[in-house]
Amino acid sequence: MKSKVIILVAMLMASPSALMAQQSIQKMFDCIVNDGRVKVTSQNHYLDRNPETDKKEAQADVYDIMMPNDKSFKQLVKDTQWSFEKDKEPAYQIKSGKNVGDNYTALAVGDGGSQSVAVGRIRGSEFIYACFLDKDDPEKKHRYAYAFEWADRGDSIQARLAKTYALMPKYRGNRTHRISIKGNKINIDGDGFYFGDGFPFGNGTVFDSDSLFSNSNRHAEQWLSEFSIYKNLFQKKPEGAAASQYVTNIYKLCKKADCLDEAEKKMVSKEIMKLKNKTNDDFIKELFDMSIERLKK
């Protein structure tokens, strides 16, 4: 293992001109996943192509792994970090950080509307991710994102490797809204979504795609911002599985609405009644009714 990593790093240093953007990162990912001592605890793969043009529109490859916590693998972690440093020049975005509370990053998949990959959620972890424009996309609308997250677990190193393909943020639709709360204007970026446990790559919190967002200690402004996001998403698709998920998210919010005052709760209840009138689905209507009841408590 150690000799393999040394040889790989030497090759990367010796031939920078022969490498495409993010290839150093990809080679390190391949080195880790293909090592026999690495235990892959879970992996998810997703690929979507346009059937008419055969052009790739969405992709996600995610590996959750455990590595021995010895000298060679500690060096491998450093070498993987170094690969991001090496590829940073062609990257249009690169960030690193540590797991803090419920803060984490969500890397969008495809149009960012239904899937994402969580990075920075592992307890006590450090992470780094980088985004690169897809040079093979003639319209320059898509990007690749690579992420590496790791945490010391005593005898082992817990890690996540992720690669996603998605539209650039500016092409994911005009989802920016503005609301007024007690005289304060708040911009809401529609790239922020809540994905429940039923989604394959992200779950259990609110996040802003390709950037950091927190769901801990919600204030009224943040609560209303999240509600507004789900409300607008539901209005666009008031029927189907996606609609049920948005309404479920609204219900979960209403179960934890202690940060709202009475006037704010009444305002939200009125908005929920408007949403209820847009659907004929009995289950969704019941969820809306339950949401309003929760706001009364």
Side-chain angles (χ1 to χ4, degrees), residues 61 73 88 108 113 131-132 136 154 163 165 188 260 278 295:
D61 296 294
F73 278 97
K88 73 176 182 180
C131 299
F132 305 85
D136 295 326
K163 171 183 176 181
Y165 186 76
I188 305 167
L260 302 182
K278 292 181 176 293
L295 289 172

Side-chain angles (χ1 to χ4, degrees), residues 5 40 70 75 104-105 152 175 188 211 231 272:
V5 173
V40 178
D70 59 23
Q75 184 61 46
Y104 68 89
T105 294
D152 190 316
R175 302 168 182 168
I188 305 167
S211 65
K231 181 191 73 171
I272 291 176

Side-chain angles (χ1 to χ4, degrees), residues 13-29:
M13 294 179 66
S15 57
S17 61
L19 296 176
M20 297 170 58
Q22 76 257 19
Q23 192 167 347
S24 299
I25 299 172
Q26 183 64 61
K27 285 183 178 291
M28 289 306 300
F29 279 16

